[in-house]
Amino acid sequence: MRKALFAAFFLFSSALLAQETTEAWTLARCIEHAQKYNITIKQTELQLQNSRADFDQARANRLPTLNANASLALNTGRVIDPFTNTFDEKTIESNQLGLQAALPLWTGLQITNNVKAQRYGFLANMKDLEVTRNNIGLSVANFYLQVLLAQELLEIAETQLETTREQLDRTEKLVNAGALSLDNLLNLKAQLGNEELNLINARNNVVNAQVNLALLLQLPDPENFRVVKPSRLDIGVVLQAEIDGVYKSALDNQPQIQAAELRTRQAQYSLAAAKGARSPRLSAFANLSTLYSDSRLRLAGTPTFIGEIPIGYIQGNPTQVVVQPDFDIPTEIVPRGTQFSDNLGYGFGLTLTIPILNNWQVNSQIQRARNAHSLSLLQLEGTRNQLFTDVATSVTNYRAAATRVQANERNVLAQEESYKFSELRFNEGMMNAVDYLNAKNRAQIAASNLLQSRYELLFRAKILDFYLGKPIVLN
């Protein structure tokens, strides 16, 4: 029974794995997968977590601090008893326990301003993550369209090869019948070999495009990776893009602009926090301490008289010895818990610190914070300028791609008409194979150029959609 269950589980798992590997991927799934597993995004997420930790720490600086300490000491020889503060000739064991607490009451608003600065820094890093996700999404879309283009070119190559084969069969019959010369047949055979090579290259281009996309997605089996071909691709001139309009829209929705603006706010509050270092500081403190020493003894029973011991002589009569009774006094070390309880002490108070001269450190920190604020404003302006440049380039590229599509469409119509006429004349024996194949190749090149220009236009349109705040999708 166990073997049967294990075998069933293994087959089920293998089937799921095979389905995951061979199932075709949509663009939305590719983007979602890349944004989840891409290494660059993971690195940015870790930076965001560090920023969140800094923000949490800044807020936690408002809380009181509480620390405990404990010590154990063994002193041998002529040492000072920490309990009796007297010299003794023995090994003394001592313990000290303490508890200290402190609470900032006034710090020149440094804590408050630092909390705000770290909060804006955290929000800026969130926007940085969004920027990284957008860049990965555009890269995935570009690679995805390259796969679709390679598949379209492969279909063109297959169609051209099939057409050449049909023409070769027809020409061979005409040559055998004596209607055409042998050179026509030989030229078509050479053309067939060339198109077979083109077909092999087109298939390799499809595989390479799929592998490149799979590697971008970091999939373990790129050779079995397949994409979904949309049922309809909206490839055409559909936008009347103006640079100013796209730029104004991008200013409102692009995360890199928002991140730069947030960092200016962060630098502003960091400067305020640095200026707060000139203010006096007021804090409250409290402490609790106790100690133990094994030299502290207490009576452990009734003293026993054991005799007399001389302590001196009567003045003027050395024969008269002065004695005192000697007792055996039983003692024991006061227990540790009792000493900790008896020696318990505490204190509390306020501490006021007024900065007067600290090696110019405060002024240096303020100057650095002021420079950082000015730098953040320049970076914001630079980010806006870069966005304008990117938008202007994207709009220009889109217009150029649209123009190329229109030109290629006109060229395709002309080349197709020329090819049809050439094919008709060739079949009637009024055109040689060289001229016919030239017309055929020109039509094939025109179709390929049109297809490439349409996919380029589609990608340029998706970039403009991105700047306009629209999601990256294929119809």
Side-chain angles (χ1 to χ4, degrees):
M1 178 63 70
R2 289 183 179 180
K3 292 182 178 180
L5 291 176
F6 178 78
F9 176 77
F10 178 77
L11 292 175
F12 179 73
S13 302
S14 300
L16 289 179
L17 181 60
Q19 181 181 4
E20 175 70 18
T21 303
T22 59
E23 182 181 356
W25 289 57
T26 62
L27 175 60
R29 183 184 177 190
C30 289
I31 294 177
E32 180 183 358
H33 182 89
Q35 291 180 346
K36 185 176 181 181
Y37 296 103
N38 183 266
I39 292 179
T40 303
I41 291 180
K42 289 184 178 180
Q43 292 173 340
T44 309
E45 289 174 344
L46 290 175
Q47 294 174 356
L48 178 62
Q49 293 179 12
N50 289 336
S51 178
R52 180 55 187 264
D54 293 338
F55 178 40
D56 292 339
Q57 180 59 57
R59 291 188 296 178
N61 288 337
R62 292 187 174 124
L63 302 176
T65 60
L66 180 63
N67 297 284
N69 62 78
S71 65
L72 172 64
L74 295 175
N75 298 313
T76 302
R78 186 172 177 81
V79 295
I80 297 178
D81 187 339
F83 182 78
T84 63
N85 202 31
T86 61
F87 287 100
D88 203 343
E89 295 284 348
K90 64 177 183 178
T91 298
I92 299 176
E93 176 190 348
S94 61
N95 280 119
Q96 289 187 342
L97 303 178
L99 194 65
Q100 299 85 31
L103 175 66
L105 300 178
W106 173 257
T107 60
L109 295 179
Q110 278 190 298
I111 294 179
T112 300
N113 288 324
N114 190 47
V115 169
K116 294 180 180 179
Q118 295 300 330
R119 176 177 177 271
Y120 283 114
F122 171 66
L123 294 177
N125 283 326
M126 291 182 64
K127 294 300 179 180
D128 288 341
L129 177 59
E130 189 175 344
V131 171
T132 305
R133 291 180 180 274
N134 289 341
N135 292 337
I136 295 298
L138 285 175
S139 297
V140 171
N142 185 23
F143 277 75
Y144 195 92
L145 290 177
Q146 292 297 324
V147 173
L148 296 181
L149 173 60
Q151 292 176 347
E152 294 277 7
L153 294 176
L154 175 60
E155 292 179 2
I156 291 179
E158 290 174 344
T159 302
Q160 292 295 328
L161 178 61
E162 185 62 27
T163 302
T164 301
R165 284 174 176 170
E166 293 176 356
Q167 188 63 43
L168 180 63
D169 292 339
R170 186 183 303 112
T171 302
E172 186 175 7
K173 293 178 181 178
L174 293 175
V175 170
N176 293 334
L180 290 176
S181 61
L182 182 61
D183 62 321
N184 291 314
L185 179 61
L186 296 178
N187 288 328
L188 281 175
K189 287 183 177 181
Q191 178 70 15
L192 180 64
N194 184 56
E195 291 185 356
E196 287 176 344
L197 178 61
N198 291 338
L199 179 61
I200 294 174
N201 292 333
R203 287 172 178 170
N204 290 335
N205 291 336
V206 171
V207 174
N208 290 334
Q210 291 177 340
V211 169
N212 289 336
L213 178 57
L215 292 177
L216 179 63
L217 301 179
Q218 297 179 344
L219 297 178
D221 189 12
E223 294 184 353
N224 293 324
F225 174 74
R226 296 183 301 108
V227 301
V228 174
K229 183 178 180 180
S231 57
R232 181 176 66 90
L233 282 176
D234 190 4
I235 304 176
V237 182
V238 295
L239 296 176
Q240 298 297 326
E242 297 295 335
I243 295 177
D244 289 339
V246 177
Y247 174 66
K248 291 179 181 179
S249 176
L251 280 177
D252 296 332
N253 61 64
Q254 287 303 297
Q256 61 266 36
I257 299 296
Q258 298 167 358
E261 291 174 346
L262 289 169
R263 286 196 166 87
T264 60
R265 301 294 299 274
Q266 179 186 13
Q268 176 184 351
Y269 282 106
S270 295
L271 176 58
K275 291 180 178 179
R278 289 173 173 169
S279 173
R281 295 169 172 267
L282 181 64
S283 61
F285 68 89
N287 58 71
L288 184 68
S289 62
T290 186
L291 57 84
Y292 161 83
S293 174
D294 64 357
S295 63
R296 182 182 177 186
L297 306 176
R298 67 180 180 183
L299 189 63
T302 302
T304 303
F305 179 75
I306 60 176
E308 296 177 343
I309 58 174
I311 62 174
Y313 303 93
I314 295 177
Q315 185 176 3
N317 188 359
T319 61
Q320 296 293 323
V321 179
V322 179
V323 297
Q324 71 176 15
D326 186 16
F327 294 91
D328 181 16
I329 303 176
T331 60
E332 64 180 1
I333 299 175
V334 178
R336 196 181 302 269
T338 302
Q339 291 195 44
F340 284 157
S341 177
D342 294 343
N343 299 327
L344 188 63
Y346 60 90
F348 56 87
L350 300 174
T351 299
L352 178 64
T353 303
I354 302 176
I356 299 176
L357 182 62
N358 294 281
N359 300 328
W360 217 251
Q361 293 182 7
V362 174
N363 289 337
S364 297
Q365 292 174 358
I366 292 175
Q367 184 60 46
R368 285 194 292 268
R370 185 177 287 114
N371 293 339
H373 182 243
S374 300
L375 181 61
S376 68
L377 293 175
L378 293 175
Q379 290 174 341
L380 174 59
E381 186 66 21
T383 304
R384 289 173 176 169
N385 293 339
Q386 184 62 48
L387 178 63
F388 182 82
T389 301
D390 294 340
V391 168
T393 302
S394 299
V395 172
T396 302
N397 290 338
Y398 175 79
R399 292 173 179 173
T403 303
R404 281 193 293 272
V405 168
Q406 295 172 356
N408 283 321
E409 286 176 345
R410 292 191 296 268
N411 186 40
V412 165
L413 291 177
Q415 296 297 337
E416 286 181 349
E417 290 294 328
S418 176
Y419 170 63
K420 290 179 181 178
F421 182 70
S422 299
E423 185 179 26
L424 180 61
R425 296 186 62 192
F426 177 76
N427 291 334
E428 294 177 353
M430 301 174 62
M431 176 180 286
N432 59 50
V434 175
D435 293 336
Y436 164 73
L437 293 177
N438 286 335
K440 182 177 184 295
N441 290 334
R442 287 195 300 269
Q444 180 181 358
I445 293 174
S448 176
N449 290 337
L450 174 60
L451 188 60
Q452 294 182 56
S453 64
R454 284 180 172 176
Y455 272 92
E456 181 188 3
L457 177 61
L458 177 60
F459 181 66
R460 300 301 179 187
K462 293 307 173 183
I463 293 179
L464 292 185
D465 286 343
F466 166 73
Y467 284 124
L468 293 172
K470 300 178 182 178
I472 303 175
V473 295
L474 293 179
N475 295 329

